[in-house]
Amino acid sequence: MTDPNAIQPSELDQLPDRDPEETAEWQASLDAVTQAAGPHRAAYLMRRTLERAEGAGIALPKLLETDYVNSIPTAAEPAVPGDEAMEQRITAWNRWNAAAMVTRGSKYGVGGHIATFASAAWLYETGFNHFFKGKEADGSGDQLYIQGHASPGIYARAFLDGRLNEEQLDNFRRESGGNGLPSYPHPRRLPWLWEFPTVSMGLGPLSAIYQARFNRYLTNRGIKDTSASHVWAFLGDGEMDEPESTAALALAAREELDNLTFVINCNLQRLDGPVRANFKIVQELEAQFRGAGWNVIKTLWGTAWDELFQLDTTGALVRRLRQVPDAQIQTYQTRDAAYIRQDFFGADPTLAEMAKLLSDDKILECFHLSRGGHEARKVYAAYRAAVEHKGAPTVILAQTVKGHTLGEGFASKNANHQMKKLTVDEFKNMRDLLGLPIKDSDFVDGVVPYGHPGADSPEVRYLQERRAALGGPAPARRVHPVAPLPAPAEKAFASFDKGSGSQNVATTMAFVRLVKDLVRDKESGKRWVPIVPDEARTFGMESLFPSLGIYSPKGQTYEPVDRDQLMYYKEARNGQILNEGITEAGSMADFIAASTSYATHGETMIPFYIFYSMFGWQRTADQMWQLGDQLGRGFLVGATAGRTTLTGEGLQHADGHSPVIAATNPAALTYDPAFAYEVAAIVKDGLRRMYGEAAPGEDQDVFYYLTVYNEPLPQPAKPSVDGIDEGIVKGLYRFNTAESAGITPPSPKLSASLEQGGTPIAPRIQLIGSGTAIHWALKAQQLLAEEWDVAADVWSATSWSELRRDALEADEALLRGEERVPFVRQALQGAEGPVLAVSDYMRQVPDQIAQWVEQDWSSLGADGFGLSDTREAARRHFGVDAESIVVAALAQLAKRGEVKATAVKEAREKYGL
């Protein structure tokens, strides 16, 4: 009985009820249905009413979950164009060759995955036959993010199409011979086929969203019309556990990216077992995507289920399907009809009666075989609905069986992800199931044969005709023949050569000023893509807001609060800046899409992504590897770099290691410039190498990582030193000598040795610094001369990792019998005394080159955790300030007997160390 004193729902609504009597009638109707037909009927009517309201555009909260049935009823499915029987045969060949490829490779122990493509075959084949546009189609064709573990199926199709041969299939996962196939989608290893590396799970869906967004960016900026391109991301239901998989769902819905479709293969299994053993992953994903604003299409059951749903006049079957957890659905896949009758149908008297009308064969057909993702008609209906939907991205939740058609030993078994081969008998059973014309005698010495109907067979002709109609082969990567970008005007770079005079300028500001000049270039200015994660004002970039605009597909629908100011916040549909909010992962996904536009769209873009260096490589290094894998080009800029330069922020912001992480990436050229003219020289060379006329043998498919600092200091003029530009680019040059700096020791009284003639000589040491540390080295140079009678030369190491890379290449050349001297050794040749290196990073950064330096080597660095304090206090704490450098230099010279041993102690006491 209802409590008359209880607060009624209508009382909780702030909106006044204009017609309480009508409201009461609706509520009474719901009560009557509940009493007469039960709560399930009432829930059914409510869902249908909400769906009708949503379809009519009435503003109501969306229904987050629907019944565990197909979104598109059988009666509404369009006919599949083309020859379904022919497509069945093509798919059968591809299933066979995918399994054969992995099985044949298993004798080498190289692994491979069979079950994933077996479950997803129709999800791919339907797309290849009817939807996926190739590179010759309008715009740039479609962009396909293939699920990594399904790669054998893609190779099998390329084999049928004549793009791969048997030798290449036999070299699956064996690439060192030069004619192999990479295990997963990998543009760097197979650049004519793969566009997007996807096997680092979670990065595929994130990148696909930002790729679809970047397509719109190109269109809205007038760079290229990409309106005909569609982005398809094929994902696993287990992959959706990765936080990156769902990190940008709201962005895709907010910007109405109806050029994007996720296809999630819901085979209910991840690598070790069920995805949601005690729950339902499809329902969970539906609620998640609907809540984010996506269009959701569920393709769960095959046509064999139609009879069961027609018999379900009470809704008992639908209710039971919602109740059964995923792990039990998997169990049904492996059990007999008697078990299913008892456990599934026997749970409800109405279902038990229904089961009496079904044969054992019918039950097994439904529960073992019939899934929506295994039927071309169901998949086609979902895909067509997806591409026709406007105003929101679409996700298709396609239910399949992992290991489908591979036999009882594979289907739905928890271990099938690790199962790498089929036996000969299992292959023969698979052959019979697929109806392939492969004879027993084709299995020579127990080796499974590849199957091919012939280059001029009806199957191959059909496949190629379908692809020709859709714009050519897919997937495919093309680097379009585009002319190198003309170099920007020299004055943009040369203006930094004269220094800043008495003005203090941080290298972060120098970089931003350089970009401001470069985006004004008439030829290449529009190609720049500035990317920043909601820290533009920190980096001094707010002046770019009104001139370049911040990209927004909606434009600016409001009057900005700072409209009357010179540097107001300006958003525009053709805005150039991508200000992503607080998401380094999203910013990196932007960068990847922009940096590979030269291949994806045939449009060269120059992205630069500026970020707190601590929150770049440490947080999103996996995406930096993805960037290298995808052959991306551009500038990553780690601002507020170093362990001691960001005053007061503390260890969570104190970057002492990003160059170490960056050095592990073969595609990253890592620079730690000290001065504004170095920044300009590095950017100039990067533009030449990546976008202009690269030198013979230079790899253009690289990206630059520059660390810049927020410490305002005087910027010196570029020294007139022979080979300085080469030194800046290669990583090392001598900035000055004690003599050129005018600070030679007045009287070397601390010298512990004499020349043969008895005249005292000044000990000498080579100080190498990078980034902001060179300023400490310069101060130490002065202290050493004035207070300790030691001459020091100061070197700028613009790139420790490039010096190391060059030295490693020299070592490799020696193994080939070629004489080659590492550049670092050439540069330091003849330099007197020991070498002391210092940086604002851990000692491991400069120590990268130690083994190739002929002089005695020592280093200083900021090892350990950072801390909050002033710059001076932090540097004293880590022992990298000028006074600490002096003590370390004296210790090196004392060890060599070139200064008195007591000098070290005196210096420590003098400086309070």
Coordinates of all heavy atoms in Angstrom, one line a residue, residues 496-500 677 715-720 735:
F496 N 67.4 35.0 -34.8 CA 67.8 34.5 -33.5 C 69.4 34.5 -33.4 O 69.9 34.3 -32.3 CB 67.3 33.1 -33.3 CG 65.8 33.0 -33.1 CD1 65.0 32.9 -34.2 CD2 65.2 33.2 -31.8 CE1 63.6 32.8 -34.1 CE2 63.9 33.1 -31.7 CZ 63.0 33.0 -32.8
D497 N 70.0 34.7 -34.5 CA 71.5 34.5 -34.4 C 72.2 35.7 -33.7 O 73.3 35.6 -33.2 CB 72.1 34.5 -35.9 CG 71.7 33.2 -36.6 OD1 71.2 32.3 -35.9 OD2 71.9 33.1 -37.8
K498 N 71.5 36.8 -33.6 CA 72.1 38.0 -33.0 C 71.9 38.0 -31.5 O 72.4 38.9 -30.8 CB 71.6 39.3 -33.6 CG 70.1 39.4 -33.5 CD 69.6 40.6 -34.4 CE 68.1 40.8 -34.3 NZ 67.7 41.9 -35.2
G499 N 71.1 37.1 -30.9 CA 70.9 37.0 -29.5 C 69.9 38.0 -29.0 O 69.2 38.7 -29.8
S500 N 69.7 38.1 -27.7 CA 68.6 38.9 -27.2 C 69.2 40.1 -26.4 O 68.4 40.9 -25.8 CB 67.8 38.1 -26.2 OG 68.6 37.7 -25.1
Y677 N 69.3 30.5 -30.8 CA 69.8 30.2 -32.1 C 69.9 28.7 -32.4 O 69.8 28.3 -33.5 CB 71.1 30.9 -32.4 CG 72.3 30.4 -31.6 CD1 73.0 29.3 -31.9 CD2 72.8 31.2 -30.5 CE1 74.1 28.9 -31.2 CE2 73.8 30.7 -29.7 CZ 74.5 29.6 -30.1 OH 75.6 29.1 -29.4
Q715 N 70.1 35.6 -24.1 CA 70.4 34.7 -25.2 C 71.6 35.2 -25.9 O 71.5 36.3 -26.5 CB 69.2 34.5 -26.1 CG 68.0 33.8 -25.5 CD 68.3 32.4 -25.1 OE1 69.0 31.7 -25.8 NE2 67.7 32.0 -23.9
P716 N 72.7 34.5 -26.0 CA 73.9 35.0 -26.6 C 73.7 35.0 -28.2 O 72.9 34.3 -28.7 CB 75.0 34.1 -26.2 CG 74.3 32.8 -26.0 CD 72.9 33.2 -25.4
A717 N 74.6 35.8 -28.8 CA 74.6 35.7 -30.3 C 75.3 34.4 -30.7 O 76.1 33.8 -29.9 CB 75.4 36.9 -30.8
K718 N 75.0 34.0 -31.9 CA 75.6 32.7 -32.4 C 77.1 32.9 -32.6 O 77.5 33.9 -33.3 CB 74.9 32.4 -33.7 CG 75.2 31.1 -34.3 CD 74.4 30.8 -35.6 CE 74.7 29.5 -36.2 NZ 73.8 29.2 -37.4
P719 N 77.9 32.1 -32.0 CA 79.3 32.3 -32.2 C 79.8 32.1 -33.7 O 79.2 31.3 -34.4 CB 79.9 31.2 -31.3 CG 78.8 30.8 -30.4 CD 77.6 31.0 -31.1
S720 N 80.8 32.8 -34.0 CA 81.4 32.6 -35.4 C 82.4 31.5 -35.3 O 83.6 31.7 -35.2 CB 82.0 33.9 -35.8 OG 81.1 35.0 -35.9
F735 N 81.3 25.9 -27.7 CA 80.7 27.2 -27.6 C 81.8 28.3 -27.4 O 81.7 29.4 -28.0 CB 79.7 27.3 -26.4 CG 79.1 28.6 -26.2 CD1 78.2 29.1 -27.0 CD2 79.5 29.4 -25.1 CE1 77.6 30.4 -26.8 CE2 78.9 30.6 -24.9 CZ 78.0 31.1 -25.7

